[in-house]
C-alpha cells in the first residue's frame, strides 16, 4: 500500500463575480468567494481543493474568515507530516475537530486530488475504487440547472426556455413564500413534460403544509428542503401529507442523519453536497447507504469555482448517482473561471469528466491572482 506525506499547504482566498447576481431565499449575491487549498504531497505532487464557504453566513455557517482560522490553526497542523496510507486517512485525522464541514471538505479534497495525481489516475476512478463494492465511473454526469428567484413569471419562463435551448433537460427553480404555487402552475402550463423540481432552502414551516400540498398537482420530481435547515422530524410529518417526494439537502450532514431521515420517511431523495457532510470520505459512506437502500441520489452544488466543480463532477460520475446533478457549465456562473478547460454541456444534458489525472483541470496562475485581488477589493465591504 503506497504511503504519502503532505509536506506543504498554501491557502488562497478568492472571489469571482457571478455572470448574473443570484437571488435565493437568502438574498442576492454578486460575487462567489472561496478558500482554495493548494496542497503538496511528497514534495512534488500538487493537489487542489475548494472550501465552499461564503462571504457571509447563508446556506451554511462557515465563511472565508472562519475557514482561514480553522485551517491555519487547527486543521492543517493535523495533516502536515503525517504518513497517509489512503486519502481516507486525512478525514480520520480531521475527525477530532467537530463541525466545520465545508472547510474540512476543501482540505480533504486537495488530498484526494493529489493522491489521484500521484497515482496517475482520474479522481473519478479513485473514488470508484474506494466504494464498496468497487464500481466503474461512467466518465460523465447527468446534469440540470438551477434558476434563482426572478422578478416575474414571464422572466422565469424566458430563462427556462434559454436553459432548455442550451441543453439542460432538468430544471430546478428556487422558491419562497409568495413565489411557489403560481410559479409551478405557470411553468407546467408552458412546459407540461420537462423534468421540474423546486428548492425552498428551508423557507417554509409545517404550518404551510396545506399550502405546499397544492404543489402535488404539478408532477414535480421533488420538493427540496422545504422546512428547517436542521430539521428531520417535521419533514417526516410533511411528507405524510404530500405525494411529491421530499428531497433533503441542508438537514443531512452525516450518515447518521441520513439513517434517521430514511427511518422516519423524511427523505425520499437525497441531494448530497460533499462539503455539507465534511468531504468525500463521508460522501462515499453516504453513497453506499443510498445504493444499498435504493435511495435516489444526486449531487448538489454550492456554485463552486472550477476546482470544486471538477471534484463534484468526478463524484457525480459514480454509477449510484441516479438523478441529474446541479453541476452546470462554467459559463452559467463565471466568465472566466480560474481553471482550464471550462466545463461545457453535451447535447444529452451531461458533462464529461476531463481526461487528465486528478480533477483534470488546471488552475490558471493569472486568473488566480486576479481572483485574490478581487477578494481583497471586496473585504472592506464584507467587514462593513
Ligand atoms: Mg438545496
Amino acid at each position: 500500500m503506497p504511503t504519502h506525506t503532505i509536506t506543504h499547504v498554501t491557502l488562497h482566498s478568492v472571489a469571482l463575480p457571478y455572470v448574473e447576481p443570484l437571488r435565493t431565499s437568502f438574498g442576492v449575491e454578486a460575487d462567489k468567494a472561496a478558500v482554495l487549498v493548494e496542497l503538496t504531497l511528497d514534495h512534488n505532487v500538487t493537489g487542489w481543493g475548494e472550501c465552499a464557504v461564503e462571504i457571509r453566513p447563508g446556506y451554511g455557517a462557515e465563511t472565508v474568515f472562519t475557514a482561514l482560522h480553522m485551517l491555519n490553526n487547527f486543521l492543517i497542523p493535523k495533516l502536515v507530516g503525517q504518513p497517509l496510507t489512503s486519502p481516507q486517512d486525512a478525514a480520520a485525522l480531521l475527525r477530532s475537530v467537530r463541525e466545520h464541514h465545508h472547510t474540512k471538505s476543501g482540505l480533504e479534497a486537495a488530498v484526494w486530488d493529489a493522491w489521484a495525481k500521484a497515482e496517475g489516475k482520474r479522481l473519478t476512478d479513485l473514488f470508484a475504487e474506494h466504494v464498496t463494492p468497487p464500481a466503474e465511473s461512467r466518465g460523465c454526469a447527468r446534469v440540470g440547472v438551477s434558476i434563482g428567484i426572478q422578478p416575474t413569471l414571464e422572466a422565469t419562463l424566458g430563462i427556462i426556455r434559454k436553459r432548455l435551448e442550451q441543453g439542460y433537460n432538468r430544471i430546478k427553480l428556487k422558491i419562497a413564500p409568495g413565489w411557489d404555487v403560481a410559479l409551478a402552475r405557470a411553468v407546467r402550463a408552458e412546459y407540461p413534460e420537462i423534468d421540474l423540481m423546486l428548492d425552498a432552502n428551508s423557507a417554509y414551516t409545517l404550518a404551510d403544509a396545506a399550502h405546499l400540498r397544492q404543489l402535488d398537482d404539478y408532477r414535480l420530481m421533488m420538493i427540496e428542503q422545504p422546512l428547517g435547515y436542521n430539521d428531520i422530524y417535521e419533514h417526516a410529518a410533511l411528507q405524510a401529507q404530500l405525494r411529491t417526494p421530499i428531497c433533503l439537502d441542508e438537514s443531512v450532514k452525516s450518515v447518521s442523519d441520513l439513517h434517521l431521515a430514511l427511518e422516519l420517511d423524511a427523505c425520499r431523495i437525497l441531494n448530497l453536497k460533499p462539503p455539507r457532510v465534511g468531504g468525500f470520505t463521508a460522501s462515499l459512506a453516504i453513497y453506499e447507504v443510498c445504493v444499498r437502500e435504493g435511495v435516489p441520489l444526486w449531487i448538489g452544488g454550492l456554485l463552486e469555482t472550477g476546482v470544486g466543480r471538477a471534484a463534484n463532477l468526478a463524484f457525480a460520475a459514480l454509477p449510484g448517482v441516479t438523478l441529474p446533478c446541479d453541476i452546470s457549465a462554467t459559463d452559467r456562473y463565471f466568465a472566466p473561471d480560474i481553471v482550464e478547460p471550462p466545463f461545457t454541456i453535451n447535447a444529452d444534458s451531461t458533462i464529461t469528466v476531463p481526461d487528465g489525472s486528478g480533477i483534470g483541470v488546471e488552475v490558471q496562475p493569472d486568473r488566480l491572482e486576479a481572483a485574490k485581488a478581487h477578494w481583497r477589493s471586496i473585504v472592506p465591504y464584507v467587514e462593513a
Side-chain angles (χ1 to χ4, degrees):
M1 196 176 289
T3 300
H4 292 293
T5 305
I6 297 162
T7 51
H8 192 70
V9 179
T10 306
L11 303 178
H12 306 275
S13 304
V14 299
L16 294 174
Y18 288 125
V19 168
E20 49 194 42
L22 192 85
R23 176 185 288 271
T24 67
S25 54
F26 300 119
V28 182
E29 199 59 78
D31 296 290
K32 164 70 194 168
V35 175
L36 298 183
V37 179
E38 181 182 12
L39 177 146
T40 307
L41 210 55
D42 307 331
H43 298 290
N44 57 8
V45 181
T46 300
W48 288 85
E50 176 168 346
C51 302
V53 292
E54 297 172 84
I55 294 173
R56 49 184 70 79
Y59 173 88
E62 295 163 75
T63 70
V64 171
F65 299 109
T66 70
L68 293 171
H69 169 66
M70 294 304 295
L71 287 162
N72 283 319
N73 294 301
F74 304 107
L75 298 172
I76 292 171
K78 288 190 180 298
L79 294 190
V80 172
Q82 298 293 325
L84 308 177
T85 59
S86 155
Q88 291 171 314
D89 288 351
L93 288 167
L94 300 176
R95 198 164 292 145
S96 62
V97 176
R98 295 181 183 180
E99 309 292 339
H100 300 281
H101 282 187
H102 294 233
T103 301
K104 289 198 273 190
S105 177
L107 181 56
E108 192 222 26
V111 178
W112 280 97
D113 179 41
W115 202 281
K117 286 170 173 160
E119 297 196 354
K121 59 183 63 159
R122 298 183 304 177
L123 179 58
T124 191
D125 298 320
L126 188 63
F127 287 149
E129 284 173 20
H130 278 82
V131 293
T132 306
E136 193 161 321
S137 169
R138 290 179 301 213
C140 69
R142 290 166 62 210
V143 302
V145 70
S146 176
I147 297 174
I149 293 168
Q150 305 298 316
T152 63
L153 292 174
E154 290 69 29
T156 308
L157 293 171
I159 292 175
I160 292 172
R161 187 173 312 115
K162 181 172 147 191
R163 299 300 178 214
L164 292 170
E165 286 167 5
Q166 286 171 333
Y168 297 102
N169 66 12
R170 189 230 62 192
I171 300 293
K172 162 169 148 176
L173 301 173
K174 296 285 189 180
I175 59 168
W179 184 256
D180 44 35
V181 176
L183 174 71
R185 185 183 307 122
V187 174
R188 263 299 172 236
E190 186 86 3
Y191 299 104
E193 300 302 332
I194 59 169
D195 285 344
L196 180 66
M197 57 172 291
L198 306 178
D199 182 7
N201 287 114
S202 300
Y204 297 86
T205 71
L206 196 52
D208 298 311
H211 178 71
L212 293 171
R213 199 158 54 228
Q214 297 175 76
L215 296 171
D216 278 343
D217 292 341
Y218 302 108
R219 288 173 289 111
L220 304 171
M221 299 172 74
M222 67 194 91
I223 177 170
E224 184 180 339
Q225 194 72 35
L227 306 182
Y229 72 94
N230 259 339
D231 169 76
I232 292 175
Y233 176 76
E234 291 192 348
H235 279 98
L238 179 62
Q239 182 67 81
Q241 301 176 61
L242 291 184
R243 285 197 313 275
T244 305
I246 290 178
C247 168
L248 288 185
D249 173 358
E250 284 92 332
S251 292
V252 176
K253 298 179 176 72
S254 66
V255 73
S256 59
D257 287 343
L258 178 60
H259 284 307
L260 176 62
L262 295 177
E263 185 68 27
L264 294 179
D265 191 22
C267 175
R268 294 188 179 170
I269 297 173
L270 181 66
N271 170 359
L272 171 58
K273 293 175 177 168
R276 191 187 68 227
V277 300
F280 290 107
T281 299
S283 295
L284 288 166
I286 285 173
Y287 172 96
E288 288 175 5
V289 172
C290 289
V291 169
R292 201 164 58 233
E293 305 287 329
V295 179
L297 172 67
W298 54 285
I299 305 304
L302 292 166
L303 315 178
E304 285 92 342
T305 78
V307 171
R309 191 169 303 261
N312 286 347
L313 177 64
F315 197 93
L318 293 174
V321 178
T322 54
L323 292 175
C325 299
D326 270 355
I327 303 173
S328 301
T330 301
D331 64 6
R332 162 76 179 84
Y333 292 111
F334 308 115
D337 197 353
I338 53 172
V339 304
E340 283 289 333
F343 295 103
T344 55
I345 183 155
N346 303 319
D348 61 352
S349 199
T350 63
I351 294 182
T352 304
V353 176
D355 284 333
S357 64
I359 56 175
V361 294
E362 298 288 337
V363 174
Q364 304 299 298
D366 57 332
R367 296 187 204 165
L368 178 64
E369 287 311 311
K372 291 167 77 167
H374 187 54
W375 167 251
R376 289 192 294 271
S377 78
I378 67 173
V379 167
Y381 113 83
V382 171
E383 291 183 329

